[in-house]
Amino acid sequence: MKKINIIKSNDEYNRIIKNIKPYKTKAFIIFLEKKEQEKYKFGFSVSKKIGKAVIRNKIKRQLKNILDQNSYENNFNCIIMVRKGIFDLNFIEISNSLNDILKKFNIIKENKCAKKFEKNNIINNDSI
């Protein structure tokens, strides 16, 4: 994930969390703000209650990896807060859960991995 697509300012986090109604799941709390700008931005919040720094950073790396697999519309800011329910899920379940939520928000243009999978699956089925 590129640095220009990450929310860094504490004021921006506080403004979005204060003014936007959250969407809650077992593993995430997501705040989505539509904006008039040329870029999209994501922010991550992993509490110290989740674990020590190594675990928190691992979760953030996994989330960035999941988000990098998609192409997004512009004009939004999204903050993803992680809940303790994330420990009940493996990486694939986390990926599916997060992608389903983002599809509900209609901010995904296309899924690069899904297209590659479909393309490979079509090729493999044709060869059988």
Side-chain angles (χ1 to χ4, degrees), residues 40-71:
Y40 63 87
K41 289 188 176 184
F42 284 99
F44 306 99
S45 177
V46 184
S47 170
K48 288 185 179 179
K49 293 178 184 178
I50 299 296
K52 297 196 182 243
V54 173
I55 294 171
R56 295 193 312 264
N57 289 331
K58 178 183 176 184
I59 291 170
K60 287 188 268 187
R61 282 193 313 271
Q62 287 178 342
L63 292 176
K64 288 177 185 178
N65 185 5
I66 293 167
L67 293 174
D68 278 342
Q69 295 174 0
N70 297 319
S71 175

Side-chain angles (χ1 to χ4, degrees), residues 40 70-74 76 102-103 106-112 115:
Y40 63 87
N70 297 319
S71 175
Y72 299 97
E73 302 286 339
N74 288 331
F76 72 88
L102 296 176
K103 285 177 187 172
N106 293 325
I107 57 176
I108 294 179
K109 283 185 187 175
E110 62 186 30
N111 190 340
K112 295 176 188 175
K115 283 195 167 190

Side-chain angles (χ1 to χ4, degrees), residues 11 13 15 18 21 25 29 32-34 55 59 65-66 71 74 78 81-82 85-86 89 96 104-106 108 125:
D11 293 335
Y13 273 96
R15 178 183 53 79
K18 182 179 175 184
K21 186 177 176 184
T25 65
I29 301 174
L32 185 72
E33 175 189 44
K34 298 287 184 174
I55 294 171
I59 291 170
N65 185 5
I66 293 167
S71 175
N74 288 331
C78 181
M81 292 183 158
V82 177
I86 200 162
L89 307 173
N96 291 338
K104 284 182 186 177
F105 287 138
N106 293 325
I108 294 179
N125 286 340

Side-chain angles (χ1 to χ4, degrees), residues 9-40:
S9 152
N10 192 24
D11 293 335
E12 203 165 353
Y13 273 96
N14 290 334
R15 178 183 53 79
I16 293 170
I17 291 170
K18 182 179 175 184
N19 296 326
I20 304 298
K21 186 177 176 184
Y23 180 82
K24 297 180 181 180
T25 65
K26 182 180 178 182
F28 303 108
I29 301 174
I30 297 180
F31 297 86
L32 185 72
E33 175 189 44
K34 298 287 184 174
K35 289 234 23 170
E36 302 266 336
Q37 61 187 12
E38 293 296 320
K39 301 175 207 157
Y40 63 87

